[in-house]
Amino acid sequence: MAYKALSAILIMSMADESMLHRTKEVIFMVAGHLREKRGYFHIVLSYTDENGKRQTPSKTTGLPVKGNKKRAEAMLMEARQSKELELKQRQEAKEAKLNETTQKSNPQDEATIPFTAFMLDWLEMMKPNLDKPTYASYSFCIKSKIVVYFDEFFPGLSLCNLTPKHIQDYYTYEMKERGVSANTVIHRHANIHKALKYAVKMDLIPFNPADKVERPKKQRYIADYYRQEELERLLEASKDHPYSLLIQMTAFYGLRRSEVVGLKWSAIDFKQKIITIRHTVTQVTLDGKSQIIQKDRTKTKSSYRSLPLIPPFEELLYRLKTQQEMNRKMCGKGYCTEYKDYIYVNEIGELIKPGYITQHFPLVLKKNGLRKIRFHDLRHSCASLLYANGVSLKEIQEWLGHSDISTTSNIYTHLDFSSKVASANAILSVFPTE
């Protein structure tokens, strides 16, 4: 990449900051204790490494618990001292490398580094600290939008010469010329602001120009959804579709796309009649290539939830499991076993990709003359149906896995209309009628 100077400048700035404390020797304290496991002593250490991350490694001593406590304690002490020495040596090596980089850096680069080069290097620096889906979002925003605009309209614009007007003009261009929504611009502003905040922290610029920019007003999200009769038509029309169960479970349980695609057979407890939402599958695009991200965790802690397995779905799941076993036998070695734990796979065992669902769901609606909604709107349809049948917002929050009830109430404010009608009728009773 051109203009690699930024990396050197960032390192130099951090090195200068650390020199203020160079007279104090960094001391790494390693705590530890013994743990009994399967009749043997295990050593468990606890310390903060040279990168500030908490580590708690463990290893066996090979000593049986009976009659070996003193020997195990001696091994623990030796392990602690050895780790402290190792951490000290790694810190010294890190500081030596910083000093070497500082000496080789050219201070003049700080004044001339282009804004776009800074954004790209900042993105690369952030990569290890971000989940892949989050990094993919950052990457698309910066590489495909922000950098493209500034390279075209302000080529070579240096970081130190970037003004609030440059940023404001970019937002105006995106909204007026390209028709980008206010919410999308707000997301891009967040990327720019965060990067420039780091530049201020590293003393590359005196202030954050994004602080002086007027962000567009956030557009209130209004959830679309199917009414009960529309939902009934969809379920009837899609009952013979290859992925009818996927559509039905999404609508009934209000699952996110990542949650329904991420369902595994291990999440279905046929004995206790419970479905546990704990796996997700997402699809991201990085540098033009599509990637599937599988996680054994949900979007938030509240998204991890257990829902009742009702008889109709229990029967359909049993039927699907039997069909998959038949497909596996028929395909033999040609059957894909990489996703054998997942519920929603095609005839040859390949995982149904999230993008496939998004693309093909509108075709199902169009074929059956149904009003166009997004696949995610089945989740909203579920919430609407729950509320219409007397389920409280608090219970809907728990069913959908929202982390905060304010999220539920903000998205589904339209559901409160019936209570407003009741209020209107109550007030109307005090007014005289002709």
Side-chain angles (χ1 to χ4, degrees):
M1 181 193 301
Y3 300 105
K4 284 298 182 182
L6 173 66
S7 299
I9 294 170
L10 297 183
I11 294 172
M12 179 183 69
S13 300
M14 290 186 287
D16 290 342
E17 186 176 324
S18 66
M19 285 179 185
L20 297 174
H21 310 285
R22 192 58 51 84
T23 55
K24 296 182 180 179
E25 181 181 1
V26 178
I27 299 175
F28 291 95
M29 298 298 294
V30 178
H33 65 275
L34 295 173
R35 180 173 63 191
E36 296 180 14
K37 188 176 180 181
R38 298 195 181 108
Y40 287 85
F41 279 120
H42 283 245
I43 293 173
V44 181
L45 299 180
S46 178
Y47 59 89
T48 301
D49 65 18
E50 72 277 11
N51 295 316
K53 293 185 179 180
R54 195 71 183 167
Q55 306 289 350
T56 55
S58 65
K59 67 175 182 178
T60 181
T61 62
L63 300 174
V65 171
K66 190 174 181 180
N68 287 297
K69 187 172 183 181
K70 288 188 176 180
R71 291 180 62 192
E73 287 175 343
M75 290 181 68
L76 171 61
M77 180 60 70
E78 183 180 346
R80 288 176 58 190
Q81 293 173 346
S82 176
K83 180 57 67 174
E84 286 175 357
L85 178 60
E86 177 191 338
L87 292 172
K88 181 180 178 182
Q89 291 173 342
R90 280 156 59 177
Q91 177 65 21
E92 289 174 348
K94 184 178 179 180
E95 290 185 356
K97 187 175 181 180
L98 285 174
N99 289 335
E100 181 181 352
T101 306
T102 301
Q103 292 170 3
K104 291 180 179 180
S105 299
N106 180 2
Q108 295 303 316
D109 289 336
E110 181 175 349
T112 59
I113 181 170
F115 167 61
T116 52
F118 166 78
M119 291 297 297
L120 291 171
D121 280 351
W122 176 80
L123 174 67
E124 198 63 24
M125 182 198 71
M126 292 292 291
K127 188 175 183 179
N129 304 319
L130 301 172
D131 283 345
K132 189 167 282 189
T134 305
Y135 173 74
S137 175
Y138 276 38
S139 180
F140 173 78
C141 173
I142 292 173
K143 291 182 178 180
S144 303
K145 303 301 177 182
I146 298 172
V147 168
V148 169
Y149 170 84
F150 280 92
D151 277 348
E152 179 180 352
F153 291 97
F154 302 102
L157 175 67
S158 65
L159 175 63
C160 62
N161 288 330
L162 179 72
T163 66
K165 190 175 187 307
H166 287 123
I167 303 173
Q168 196 77 66
D169 287 347
Y170 167 59
Y171 298 163
T172 301
Y173 172 84
E174 288 287 58
M175 295 182 70
K176 287 190 174 181
E177 301 298 326
R178 299 183 61 83
V180 172
S181 70
N183 290 353
T184 299
V185 169
I186 290 172
H187 283 303
R188 295 181 189 172
H189 172 79
N191 281 184
I192 292 174
H193 187 275
K194 191 172 183 180
L196 294 177
K197 183 178 179 181
Y198 186 79
V200 174
K201 182 180 178 181
M202 292 293 102
D203 293 327
L204 300 179
I205 51 178
F207 68 93
N208 188 340
D211 283 336
K212 299 184 177 183
V213 172
E214 288 292 330
R215 294 190 321 163
K217 187 176 180 180
K218 187 175 183 180
Q219 297 169 325
R220 188 171 186 177
Y221 175 69
I222 301 176
D224 198 3
Y225 63 99
Y226 268 178
R227 279 67 179 172
Q228 182 171 340
E229 58 276 10
E230 291 178 300
L231 201 54
E232 289 173 352
R233 285 180 57 203
L234 169 64
L235 298 181
E236 177 64 27
S238 64
K239 66 180 182 180
D240 295 325
H241 191 276
Y243 304 129
S244 60
L245 180 56
L246 184 149
I247 294 172
Q248 291 174 29
M249 289 191 72
T250 301
F252 184 85
Y253 290 108
L255 302 179
R256 299 177 177 91
R257 185 185 66 170
S258 60
E259 293 172 344
V260 70
V261 177
L263 276 176
K264 292 185 176 183
W265 288 111
S266 59
I268 311 297
D269 189 333
F270 288 103
K271 290 184 179 180
Q272 299 296 325
K273 313 298 183 189
I274 293 174
I275 298 177
T276 304
I277 309 303
R278 58 178 175 229
H279 308 285
T280 59
V281 171
T282 54
Q283 190 170 357
V284 301
T285 301
L286 268 175
D287 299 325
K289 295 182 180 179
S290 179
Q291 296 185 25
I292 297 296
I293 311 296
Q294 305 167 57
K295 291 183 180 179
D296 287 330
R297 60 181 175 84
T298 51
K299 182 179 179 182
T300 64
K301 289 183 180 180
S302 301
S303 299
Y304 184 104
R305 60 201 187 277
S306 295
L307 301 169
L309 175 61
I310 61 172
F313 286 126
E314 181 181 7
E315 181 183 343
L316 290 171
L317 285 167
Y318 268 127
R319 195 183 304 170
L320 179 60
K321 194 172 183 64
T322 302
Q323 183 62 51
Q324 286 182 5
E325 290 170 357
M326 290 177 57
N327 290 341
R328 192 179 297 116
K329 290 178 181 178
M330 290 176 62
C331 294
K333 292 183 179 179
Y335 192 85
C336 176
T337 58
E338 183 180 352
Y339 305 106
K340 58 184 174 61
D341 297 331
Y342 286 89
I343 291 177
Y344 295 112
V345 295
N346 62 19
E347 295 85 349
I348 60 174
E350 296 172 335
L351 185 69
I352 298 175
K353 297 179 180 179
Y356 177 89
I357 297 172
T358 301
Q359 292 168 7
H360 284 75
F361 182 66
L363 301 180
V364 175
L365 302 182
K366 185 176 181 180
K367 181 180 178 181
N368 293 282
L370 292 163
R371 180 167 60 89
K372 184 178 179 180
I373 61 170
R374 302 171 308 161
F375 184 79
H376 188 75
D377 291 328
L378 291 179
R379 177 171 164 85
H380 302 322
S381 303
C382 168
S384 176
L385 197 59
L386 288 171
Y387 193 85
N389 284 276
V391 180
S392 69
L393 282 180
K394 179 62 178 176
E395 292 171 308
I396 294 174
Q397 172 205 346
E398 294 172 353
W399 185 270
L400 297 180
H402 285 154
S403 57
D404 196 299
I405 195 169
S406 63
T407 303
T408 315
S409 60
N410 287 339
I411 295 176
Y412 303 114
T413 49
H414 65 278
L415 299 181
D416 237 0
F417 186 74
S418 58
S419 64
K420 293 182 176 68
V421 172
S423 299
N425 290 334
I427 299 172
L428 184 63
S429 65
V430 305
F431 282 84
T433 57
E434 294 182 3

